[in-house]
Amino acid sequence: MKNDKKQNQYRVNEQIRVREVRIVGDGGSTVVPTRQALDMARQQGVDLVEISPNAQPPVCRLIDYSKFLYQQKKKAKEMKAKQVKIEVKEIRFGPQTGENDYAFKLKHAKEFLEEGNKVRAYVFFKGRSILFKEQGEVLLLRFANDLEEYGRVEQLPQLEGKKMAIFIAPKKAGVVKKSQQKMDRERREAEAREMAKQAKDGQQEVDPEMPANGGLLANAKISADALKKLTENNEQ
C-alpha cells in the first residue's frame, strides 16, 4: 500500500497533460512542449517524470521511473538516519555531593549535551536533608554554569516535592570553543593539582586548617559573579 501511494504521487509520461514542461538534468534546464519531451524520453528509453507539479511550467526529469523511485526512497532513508532523536538524560545529586562524584557527573552531562540530548539534573532530598535545599540550588546553578559552553538553561532550579531540578538543553552542533573563564578555571585546577602533588611528595606543607574538598563546602563554592552571569544569560 505504501509503495502504491509513493508511485501515485508522481505523474509519468502520458499522465502529464500540460502544454509545456521544464526538463532539468546535469546539463541545466530547458523549457519544451510536453509532446517533444515525451519524444525525447522515448528516444532515450526512459520516462518523463514530473517532480515539481506546482512550478510554472512543471519541472520534469528524463529518467527510468523505477530508478527514480529507488533514489527517492534512498534519499528519504538517509535523511531519516541523520535525524537526531532528542532524549532527556537524568543526572541525580545528593545535597552533599563530593567533588569526585560531581566531576564524574559533569563529564557525563557534557557528553549527553554534545550528543544533542537534554539534561535534567536534580538534587534528591531524603528525610531531614530538605533543610539543605539552598545548598542544592547552589549545586545545580554551579552545574549549569560549568555546562554553559555545551548547553543553555531551559528552566532554573525548581523544588518539586523532594526533588529540585534544572533543565539544560544542548546548544547548536559545532566546535565547542573554550571561553576565557573556562581556560582560567582549567589553569587554576591544574595549579591546584600540582600543589597537591607537591604536598603529597613532602615538598610543600598543607595547611591543616584548610577544609577538604567535597561535601557541603565544596558544593557551595560558586562565585556570585557566576550566578549573576547565569541568571542574565537565562533572561536573554
Side-chain angles (χ1 to χ4, degrees):
M1 183 65 69
K2 289 184 179 180
N3 291 335
D4 292 341
K5 289 182 178 180
K6 187 74 174 178
Q7 293 180 7
N8 293 334
Q9 72 179 7
Y10 298 102
R11 290 190 293 186
V12 185
N13 297 327
E14 283 74 15
Q15 295 175 350
I16 305 172
R17 297 189 177 92
V18 295
R19 180 177 298 179
E20 59 184 12
V21 296
R22 180 181 296 275
I23 304 296
V24 296
D26 296 336
S29 67
T30 181
V31 177
V32 299
T34 303
R35 184 176 297 277
Q36 180 181 342
L38 288 169
D39 291 339
M40 293 168 60
R42 279 191 288 268
Q43 292 172 6
Q44 297 180 29
V46 294
D47 299 297
L48 179 66
V49 182
E50 186 182 60
I51 59 175
S52 183
N54 296 326
Q56 295 295 330
V59 179
C60 299
R61 286 184 63 188
L62 298 175
I63 187 173
D64 181 88
Y65 189 44
S66 298
K67 181 179 180 181
F68 172 76
L69 290 177
Y70 172 77
Q71 290 177 348
Q72 295 298 105
K73 183 178 179 181
K74 183 179 179 181
K75 186 182 297 184
K77 186 176 181 180
E78 290 175 351
M79 290 179 63
K80 185 177 180 180
K82 291 180 180 179
Q83 291 178 347
V84 178
K85 183 179 180 181
I86 298 179
E87 298 181 1
V88 178
K89 302 291 187 178
E90 291 196 338
I91 294 181
R92 170 175 170 167
F93 291 100
Q96 299 186 25
T97 299
E99 282 298 300
N100 291 336
D101 191 27
Y102 176 86
F104 178 78
K105 293 177 178 179
L106 179 64
K107 177 177 178 293
H108 280 286
K110 291 178 180 178
E111 294 173 354
F112 293 150
L113 292 170
E114 286 181 328
E115 292 170 358
N117 298 306
K118 292 185 178 182
V119 171
R120 176 179 181 264
Y122 68 92
V123 179
F124 181 76
F125 300 99
K126 184 177 180 181
R128 293 178 60 83
S129 66
I130 192 68
L131 298 174
F132 301 107
K133 60 179 182 291
E134 290 80 8
Q135 274 81 3
E137 182 178 8
V138 168
L139 172 62
L140 292 177
L141 289 174
R142 173 192 177 190
F143 193 63
N145 184 68
D146 289 341
L147 293 171
E148 64 178 350
E149 295 176 12
Y150 301 85
R152 64 182 186 278
V153 176
E154 277 193 340
Q155 175 186 302
L156 287 170
Q158 290 186 1
L159 184 63
E160 300 175 359
K162 295 183 179 180
K163 294 181 180 179
M164 179 177 287
I166 189 171
F167 280 87
I168 304 173
K171 287 187 175 180
K172 292 183 180 180
V175 179
V176 178
K177 296 182 179 180
K178 293 184 179 181
S179 66
Q180 185 62 44
Q181 180 184 7
K182 183 176 179 62
M183 290 189 289
D184 291 341
R185 184 169 63 247
E186 290 180 347
R187 177 179 54 79
R188 291 194 298 268
E189 290 174 352
E191 291 174 353
R193 286 194 296 268
E194 181 62 24
M195 291 177 64
K197 181 180 178 181
Q198 292 178 2
K200 185 177 180 180
D201 295 339
Q203 299 176 5
Q204 179 177 330
E205 294 183 0
V206 179
D207 186 352
E209 296 181 1
M210 181 179 293
N213 290 334
L216 294 177
L217 290 176
N219 291 341
K221 285 183 179 179
I222 178 172
S223 67
D225 291 340
L227 286 174
K228 182 179 179 181
K229 180 179 178 182
L230 179 63
T231 304
E232 290 175 350
N233 290 340
N234 187 67
E235 291 175 350
Q236 292 178 351

